[in-house]
Amino acid sequence: MSDINQSRRRLFSRRKSNAIRPPWSRQDIEFTDICTRCDKCIQTCETKIIFKGDGGFPEVNFSIDECTFCQKCVEACPEPLFTATDDSPWQIAATINDTCLALNEIWCQSCKDACDPRAISFIPAIGKAPQPQIDTDICNGCGACVAPCPSHSITLLDKKKL
């Protein structure tokens, strides 16, 4: 294939977005093909975690607050972007990076205190601060652990990548 054809292919190929979309967003579609950017989900979000992201499409920012799974974004959307709300809201789970205070021998359990499903536990260790552990089977992806983390060490990732 010529260099020109490869350049064209790269120009018109879609980039897979790493954005976290609102809960219950369908995974079997290209979100940006169907979303009209009407902002109804943004306006109805009770915790204001949905914002206008790349290209004006809705994204979720857990550093603001958590998702309460109120389903208002689903109800407000006029497009077929969402699955049934009895399905799992996301296929994401919390992960802790190495800037975590507990991993650096400073006693902190802010994330555990914020986690209602109790997916985050701390394992006692001799001679050092208890070490965090996340049970990804219990984590519902609500993001409640993100904002309280003083070292910004928690992110939510696709469970398939964990």
Side-chain angles (χ1 to χ4, degrees), residues 14 16 21 24-35 79-83:
R14 290 196 177 165
K16 186 73 175 161
R21 301 295 180 197
W24 296 288
S25 294
R26 289 177 41 197
Q27 300 297 308
D28 62 333
I29 59 164
E30 182 64 38
F31 188 90
T32 56
D33 284 348
I34 297 176
C35 178
E79 303 303 325
L81 283 168
F82 296 96
T83 62

Side-chain angles (χ1 to χ4, degrees), residues 71-136:
Q71 302 177 10
K72 290 180 181 178
C73 56
V74 175
E75 294 163 4
C77 183
E79 303 303 325
L81 283 168
F82 296 96
T83 62
T85 54
D86 55 342
D87 293 340
S88 177
W90 277 299
Q91 290 303 311
I92 58 175
T95 183
I96 300 173
N97 67 37
D98 59 1
T99 63
C100 170
L101 295 177
L103 294 176
N104 288 285
E105 307 307 324
I106 299 169
W107 194 290
C108 178
Q109 295 186 4
S110 300
C111 55
K112 176 186 169 195
D113 296 341
C115 182
D116 282 341
R118 297 292 173 224
I120 303 174
S121 59
F122 279 77
I123 310 303
I126 296 173
K128 57 183 177 176
Q131 301 295 287
Q133 181 175 331
I134 298 176
D135 184 336
T136 57

Side-chain angles (χ1 to χ4, degrees), residues 15 21 40 46 48 68 75 78 84 106 117 132 149 151 161:
R15 253 187 357 198
R21 301 295 180 197
K40 289 181 181 174
E46 69 180 21
K48 306 298 180 204
T68 61
E75 294 163 4
I106 299 169
C149 178
S151 58
K161 296 178 182 177

